[in-house]
Amino acid sequence: MRSTKHHLLARAIAAAIVTAGFATVACAGDAPAAPQDSTTAPAAATTLGKITVAANRYDASQLQMDAVNTVNVLSADDLKYTAVHNVAEALGLLPGVNVFNTGQSYFGGIDGASRGEGMFTSVRGLNAEYNVNLINGVNVAQGMAYSRGVQLSLLPPSGLQTIVLNKTSTADMDGDAIGGTIDFRTPTAFDFSAPTSGSVTASGRMESRARDYGDNGLGGGLAGEFQSKFGQEKQFGIYASAYYDKRNYVNSEAAAASSALNDGSWEFARTTAKGDNAPGFDPVRNLLSTGMNIGTSSGHTKRYGGNVSLDWKVDDTLTAYARATYGYAQTEQDTTYLQIIPANVSYAPIGTTGLYQPVIGRIATRFWYETNPEKADLATFQVGGDKTLGGWTLSPSLFYSFGDNDRPDHVEISARNDQYSSANFPYGAGTVMSYGADHLPYPMLTPAMNAQLNSVATLYARRSGQLTKSYSGQEKGGAKFDARYDFEDGALRSLQFGVKYSDAHREFTNRDWTTAKYTDGRSFGSLGLIDGGYSSVFPGVYGYDVPTIDQAALKRLIAANVTDANLDTCSNLYINNWNCNTQRARETVSAAYAMASFKWGDLEVIPGLRFEHTDIRNTFWSTPRDAGTEQPGHFARNFTHYDEPLPSLFVNYRDGDNAVYRGSIWTSYTRPAFVQLGGGSQVSVSADGLTTITEGNPNLKPIKSLNFDLSGEWGNQHGGHAMAALFYKSLSNYIYESGSNPVNAGTTDAGSIQYVRPQNGGDGKVYGVETALRQKFQDMPAPFDGFGVGFNATRQWTSVDLGLDGFHHQRIQNAPELMANAELFYEKNGFSVNLSYHYAGSYVSTYDYFGQNQPWDNLWIRPVARVDLHAGYAFAHGFQVDLSISNLTRNYTYWSHVGRNSLAISDVVDSGMTTLLTAKYSF
């Protein structure tokens, strides 16, 4: 567990930032003006590395045109005119970005999806851990337990002004971005035209699905910002913002896939005598769901944070700055499941066909409940400056970031009708589910089974519960120095070079306590945990009653029964249980680069070379066994080193001010997740003397990519902008996200010792085309000159060799083949209306979901479509009101299924529609 000092520091920083924001009268406000000085304008032959904000879509289009690399920019207005929950969902407005609402960490699967909000993004077919995430140019800490990805649901769209997504990387950018580099930017005082300004915003939120359950589903927030320039020559600037919001939700879950994975509630319709898939039958089309979980996911999320920027223009040649950002999110999530689970399954012959079919001996009706709390925070700090000396521009800076993703006090508790008997509720049929026109499964149960599902209180209590405490976090700090020399004439326009050093420390712990089973036949209702309920567990679909749980009573029950004797994380000895899921790592990265800019008329050529050296030192717990007997363990260490040269070449042709054509070849890489490099070590010795060591693999290679990009952008000076891009990525040493499980686990023998370790996969490729168009018809006669349309679409193809037999040509995780956004808008005289449509095609979420060592059982995500609406009006004297509705048609927000062409075994989440009303006063 990380030190108390760390958390006290986090709270102190949060308090300071929020106080700075609100005490100066703040809350997301006055639209920034164009950059006021050369320190914020993008320099020639550089990426958009300087902190530059875009107030509206037209500023964002100009930033894209000015960049030397392929970028997409979300402006302040883009973030304001939407009812999305967070910046992950906002990124889904951009071409080539897929937003997904669950991952492979400890709140993955339907547990994560049932929160009803996007959490992660993939860029150009590459998963979240293949992206670099920055805030104002600072690498954010990666607090996730089993992944290098960053959980973007932590950040609300109200806390930012501009998001810059770099699709390509020049030599002055970090090299470990195969997907993209996402830079979240906050403004400075010098981005505003007024000497002093600010705003206050109040918002109200309503979740429709919660109201379907009879809850109010209400939430809201308050945000503010203030900026001022002062001093005799207005050389000092201060910008501060703060926000607070809270969301209350109750969402619906139908979880047949999760039940199949965890409780074995699946079969083949036609089988062998042993229950295997019958020869000649497609295993996907032969699937049967024999049970499911039906439940609710309820809770709330509250977020607060803010940012501060201090800027000083010392003189015409020197500027200095200090910036800090902080975001905190606390989620309480309670999952309540009614369970239908098959038992005593046998296989009966079908006449004389030689085929068999399953016969379900009985049905177990059960209740399962878990809490899934999360506390996450993310902070960045930096100080630096820019100094010009003749043709030189020198830019030193120091930076620091920390991030946490903790899961404190995760509790599970259950009740069963078959706690003491395995004979009740006999069944005898070969299938349990029928399917409606909505493709959802409907259980075919006896009246007695239905009655028991509606009476959780009379089920037998299984135990007092199971408690898990997990803590994961990282601290990262370092320094960088950039220098550029600009030439006054000649083809060589600039030389740029720099160095960067970062030092990161991370720690993860997970401990589990399981109480003893009850033996006295007490009912679940006698525990005093039920404090109410919902009359329908899934309104409009499943009408079973479901209880709600008293959190205070649950905590008292756990506190009274959990002791040191219950600790059973993964071993038998206490010292091993305490430490076996503890991992620490230190990662240092040293980088240096050089790049030049040549220009011949309208042609720019930018060659560059970057070199990154990485040292990773992992510390983990090793649990030995002697002749099968567990021994006290110890902390062990391993080391990993990477040296990566990363050449790049960018060529741009600018046809006046209205067109730019880009071509680039660049290289990048991604380091494996820490848990794969240095996971805990388990040692066992068999009776015949064979020693098996299961551990992380410090010899894993980084995933590498050779990238090609061709793009063009056009502006017509009449409210229009268009973009088209072709991209290709050639991957090697591929590693997919596998959570805490060893990815692509392989076995190697060394005499009498056998090692089981994660392994790299093989080669892969990603290629595709992106298009975007936005046109305001400003030349039409009034009032039609306020209308406009926007559209972007991405078609991409992915293929990768996982390194496993039978998995040589797989789709890449979380990479739809088709994504699109379309928008019809009207903007005139302070009035704005936006009607938008968002689509993401199907994609693979998890490989080999059932562990069949074949790709037919991959877990797929069904296509997702969403319609959003925004309407707003800016009144006189700085007052503005906006109404946004997300998921206007109330489509299901998550639908996963086993096998690409079957919905027989699915998980479904219905989180309804979100309505957001904001009122803002700017001064």
Side-chain angles (χ1 to χ4, degrees), residues 843-865:
Y843 57 90
V844 175
S845 174
T846 305
Y847 299 116
D848 196 14
Y849 189 67
F850 288 157
Q852 300 297 293
N853 298 318
Q854 298 179 57
W856 66 260
D857 66 334
N858 289 346
L859 187 71
W860 286 77
I861 305 298
R862 205 176 182 197
V864 176

CSV table of all heavy atoms in Angstrom, one decimal, residues 843-865:
chain,number,residue,atom,x,y,z
A,843,TYR,N,-16.1,-5.5,-33.0
A,843,TYR,CA,-14.7,-5.8,-32.8
A,843,TYR,C,-14.5,-6.8,-31.8
A,843,TYR,O,-15.4,-7.1,-31.0
A,843,TYR,CB,-14.0,-4.5,-32.4
A,843,TYR,CG,-14.5,-3.8,-31.2
A,843,TYR,CD1,-14.0,-4.1,-30.0
A,843,TYR,CD2,-15.5,-2.8,-31.3
A,843,TYR,CE1,-14.4,-3.4,-28.8
A,843,TYR,CE2,-15.9,-2.1,-30.2
A,843,TYR,CZ,-15.4,-2.4,-28.9
A,843,TYR,OH,-15.9,-1.8,-27.8
A,844,VAL,N,-13.3,-7.4,-31.7
A,844,VAL,CA,-12.9,-8.4,-30.8
A,844,VAL,C,-12.5,-7.7,-29.5
A,844,VAL,O,-11.7,-6.8,-29.5
A,844,VAL,CB,-11.7,-9.3,-31.3
A,844,VAL,CG1,-11.2,-10.2,-30.2
A,844,VAL,CG2,-12.1,-10.0,-32.5
A,845,SER,N,-13.0,-8.2,-28.4
A,845,SER,CA,-12.7,-7.6,-27.1
A,845,SER,C,-11.7,-8.6,-26.3
A,845,SER,O,-10.7,-8.1,-25.7
A,845,SER,CB,-13.9,-7.5,-26.2
A,845,SER,OG,-13.6,-7.1,-24.9
A,846,THR,N,-11.9,-9.9,-26.3
A,846,THR,CA,-11.1,-10.8,-25.6
A,846,THR,C,-10.9,-12.1,-26.5
A,846,THR,O,-11.8,-12.6,-27.1
A,846,THR,CB,-11.8,-11.3,-24.3
A,846,THR,OG1,-12.1,-10.1,-23.5
A,846,THR,CG2,-10.9,-12.2,-23.5
A,847,TYR,N,-9.6,-12.5,-26.6
A,847,TYR,CA,-9.3,-13.7,-27.3
A,847,TYR,C,-9.6,-14.9,-26.5
A,847,TYR,O,-9.3,-15.0,-25.3
A,847,TYR,CB,-7.8,-13.7,-27.8
A,847,TYR,CG,-7.4,-12.5,-28.6
A,847,TYR,CD1,-6.5,-11.5,-28.2
A,847,TYR,CD2,-8.0,-12.4,-29.9
A,847,TYR,CE1,-6.1,-10.5,-29.0
A,847,TYR,CE2,-7.6,-11.3,-30.7
A,847,TYR,CZ,-6.7,-10.4,-30.3
A,847,TYR,OH,-6.3,-9.3,-31.1
A,848,ASP,N,-10.1,-16.0,-27.2
A,848,ASP,CA,-10.2,-17.3,-26.6
A,848,ASP,C,-10.9,-17.2,-25.2
A,848,ASP,O,-10.4,-17.7,-24.2
A,848,ASP,CB,-8.8,-18.0,-26.4
A,848,ASP,CG,-8.9,-19.5,-26.2
A,848,ASP,OD1,-10.0,-20.1,-26.4
A,848,ASP,OD2,-7.9,-20.1,-25.8
A,849,TYR,N,-12.1,-16.7,-25.2
A,849,TYR,CA,-12.8,-16.3,-24.0
A,849,TYR,C,-13.0,-17.6,-23.1
A,849,TYR,O,-12.9,-17.5,-21.9
A,849,TYR,CB,-14.2,-15.7,-24.4
A,849,TYR,CG,-15.0,-15.1,-23.3
A,849,TYR,CD1,-14.5,-14.0,-22.6
A,849,TYR,CD2,-16.2,-15.7,-22.9
A,849,TYR,CE1,-15.3,-13.4,-21.6
A,849,TYR,CE2,-17.0,-15.1,-21.9
A,849,TYR,CZ,-16.5,-14.0,-21.3
A,849,TYR,OH,-17.3,-13.4,-20.3
A,850,PHE,N,-13.4,-18.7,-23.7
A,850,PHE,CA,-13.6,-19.9,-22.9
A,850,PHE,C,-12.4,-20.8,-22.7
A,850,PHE,O,-12.4,-21.9,-22.1
A,850,PHE,CB,-14.7,-20.8,-23.6
A,850,PHE,CG,-16.1,-20.2,-23.5
A,850,PHE,CD1,-17.1,-20.6,-24.4
A,850,PHE,CD2,-16.5,-19.4,-22.5
A,850,PHE,CE1,-18.4,-20.1,-24.3
A,850,PHE,CE2,-17.8,-18.9,-22.4
A,850,PHE,CZ,-18.7,-19.2,-23.3
A,851,GLY,N,-11.2,-20.3,-23.3
A,851,GLY,CA,-10.0,-21.1,-23.1
A,851,GLY,C,-10.0,-22.4,-23.9
A,851,GLY,O,-9.5,-23.4,-23.5
A,852,GLN,N,-10.6,-22.4,-25.1
A,852,GLN,CA,-10.7,-23.6,-26.0
A,852,GLN,C,-9.5,-23.7,-26.9
A,852,GLN,O,-9.5,-24.7,-27.7
A,852,GLN,CB,-12.0,-23.5,-26.8
A,852,GLN,CG,-13.3,-23.5,-26.0
A,852,GLN,CD,-13.4,-24.7,-25.1
A,852,GLN,OE1,-13.6,-25.8,-25.6
A,852,GLN,NE2,-13.3,-24.6,-23.8
A,853,ASN,N,-8.6,-22.8,-26.8
A,853,ASN,CA,-7.4,-22.8,-27.6
A,853,ASN,C,-7.7,-22.7,-29.1
A,853,ASN,O,-7.0,-23.3,-30.0
A,853,ASN,CB,-6.5,-24.1,-27.4
A,853,ASN,CG,-6.0,-24.1,-25.9
A,853,ASN,OD1,-5.6,-23.1,-25.4
A,853,ASN,ND2,-6.1,-25.3,-25.3
A,854,GLN,N,-8.8,-22.1,-29.4
A,854,GLN,CA,-9.2,-21.9,-30.8
A,854,GLN,C,-9.9,-20.5,-30.9
A,854,GLN,O,-10.5,-20.0,-29.9
A,854,GLN,CB,-10.2,-22.9,-31.3
A,854,GLN,CG,-9.7,-24.4,-31.3
A,854,GLN,CD,-10.7,-25.4,-31.7
A,854,GLN,OE1,-11.3,-25.3,-32.8
A,854,GLN,NE2,-11.0,-26.3,-30.9
A,855,PRO,N,-9.9,-19.8,-32.0
A,855,PRO,CA,-10.4,-18.5,-32.1
A,855,PRO,C,-11.9,-18.4,-32.2
A,855,PRO,O,-12.5,-17.3,-32.1
A,855,PRO,CB,-9.7,-17.9,-33.3
A,855,PRO,CG,-9.4,-19.1,-34.2
A,855,PRO,CD,-9.1,-20.2,-33.3
A,856,TRP,N,-12.6,-19.5,-32.4
A,856,TRP,CA,-14.1,-19.4,-32.5
A,856,TRP,C,-14.8,-18.8,-31.3
A,856,TRP,O,-15.8,-18.2,-31.4
A,856,TRP,CB,-14.7,-20.8,-32.8
A,856,TRP,CG,-14.6,-21.8,-31.8
A,856,TRP,CD1,-13.7,-22.8,-31.7
A,856,TRP,CD2,-15.4,-22.0,-30.6
A,856,TRP,NE1,-13.9,-23.6,-30.5
A,856,TRP,CE2,-15.0,-23.1,-29.9
A,856,TRP,CE3,-16.6,-21.3,-30.1
A,856,TRP,CZ2,-15.6,-23.5,-28.7
A,856,TRP,CZ3,-17.2,-21.7,-28.9
A,856,TRP,CH2,-16.7,-22.8,-28.2
A,857,ASP,N,-14.1,-18.9,-30.1
A,857,ASP,CA,-14.8,-18.4,-28.9
A,857,ASP,C,-14.3,-17.1,-28.5
A,857,ASP,O,-14.4,-16.7,-27.3
A,857,ASP,CB,-14.6,-19.4,-27.7
A,857,ASP,CG,-13.2,-19.6,-27.3
A,857,ASP,OD1,-12.3,-19.4,-28.1
A,857,ASP,OD2,-12.9,-20.0,-26.1
A,858,ASN,N,-13.7,-16.3,-29.4
A,858,ASN,CA,-13.4,-14.9,-29.1
A,858,ASN,C,-14.6,-14.2,-28.7
A,858,ASN,O,-15.7,-14.4,-29.2
A,858,ASN,CB,-12.8,-14.2,-30.3
A,858,ASN,CG,-11.4,-14.7,-30.6
A,858,ASN,OD1,-10.7,-15.4,-29.8
A,858,ASN,ND2,-10.9,-14.4,-31.8
A,859,LEU,N,-14.5,-13.2,-27.8
A,859,LEU,CA,-15.6,-12.4,-27.3
A,859,LEU,C,-15.6,-11.1,-28.2
A,859,LEU,O,-14.6,-10.4,-28.3
A,859,LEU,CB,-15.4,-12.0,-25.9
A,859,LEU,CG,-16.6,-11.3,-25.2
A,859,LEU,CD1,-17.8,-12.2,-25.0
A,859,LEU,CD2,-16.2,-10.6,-23.9
A,860,TRP,N,-16.8,-10.9,-28.9
A,860,TRP,CA,-16.9,-9.8,-29.8
A,860,TRP,C,-17.9,-8.8,-29.2
A,860,TRP,O,-18.7,-9.1,-28.3
A,860,TRP,CB,-17.6,-10.3,-31.1
A,860,TRP,CG,-16.6,-11.1,-32.0
A,860,TRP,CD1,-16.1,-12.3,-31.8
A,860,TRP,CD2,-15.9,-10.5,-33.1
A,860,TRP,NE1,-15.2,-12.7,-32.8
A,860,TRP,CE2,-15.1,-11.6,-33.6
A,860,TRP,CE3,-15.9,-9.3,-33.8
A,860,TRP,CZ2,-14.3,-11.5,-34.7
A,860,TRP,CZ3,-15.2,-9.2,-34.9
A,860,TRP,CH2,-14.3,-10.2,-35.4
A,861,ILE,N,-17.7,-7.5,-29.6
A,861,ILE,CA,-18.6,-6.4,-29.2
A,861,ILE,C,-19.5,-6.1,-30.4
A,861,ILE,O,-18.9,-5.9,-31.5
A,861,ILE,CB,-17.8,-5.2,-28.8
A,861,ILE,CG1,-16.9,-5.6,-27.6
A,861,ILE,CG2,-18.8,-4.1,-28.3
A,861,ILE,CD1,-17.5,-6.1,-26.4
A,862,ARG,N,-20.8,-6.1,-30.2
A,862,ARG,CA,-21.7,-5.8,-31.3
A,862,ARG,C,-21.6,-4.3,-31.6
A,862,ARG,O,-21.2,-3.5,-30.8
A,862,ARG,CB,-23.1,-6.1,-30.8
A,862,ARG,CG,-24.1,-6.4,-31.9
A,862,ARG,CD,-25.4,-6.9,-31.4
A,862,ARG,NE,-26.3,-7.2,-32.4
A,862,ARG,CZ,-27.6,-7.3,-32.3
A,862,ARG,NH1,-28.2,-7.0,-31.1
A,862,ARG,NH2,-28.4,-7.6,-33.3
A,863,PRO,N,-21.9,-4.0,-32.9
A,863,PRO,CA,-21.9,-2.6,-33.3
A,863,PRO,C,-22.7,-1.7,-32.4
A,863,PRO,O,-23.7,-2.0,-31.9
A,863,PRO,CB,-22.5,-2.6,-34.7
A,863,PRO,CG,-22.2,-3.9,-35.2
A,863,PRO,CD,-22.3,-4.8,-34.0
A,864,VAL,N,-22.1,-0.5,-32.1
A,864,VAL,CA,-22.8,0.5,-31.3
A,864,VAL,C,-23.1,1.7,-32.1
A,864,VAL,O,-22.3,2.3,-32.8
A,864,VAL,CB,-21.8,0.9,-30.1
A,864,VAL,CG1,-22.4,2.0,-29.2
A,864,VAL,CG2,-21.5,-0.3,-29.3
A,865,ALA,N,-24.4,2.2,-31.9
A,865,ALA,CA,-24.8,3.4,-32.6
A,865,ALA,C,-25.5,4.3,-31.6
A,865,ALA,O,-26.2,3.8,-30.6
A,865,ALA,CB,-25.8,3.1,-33.7
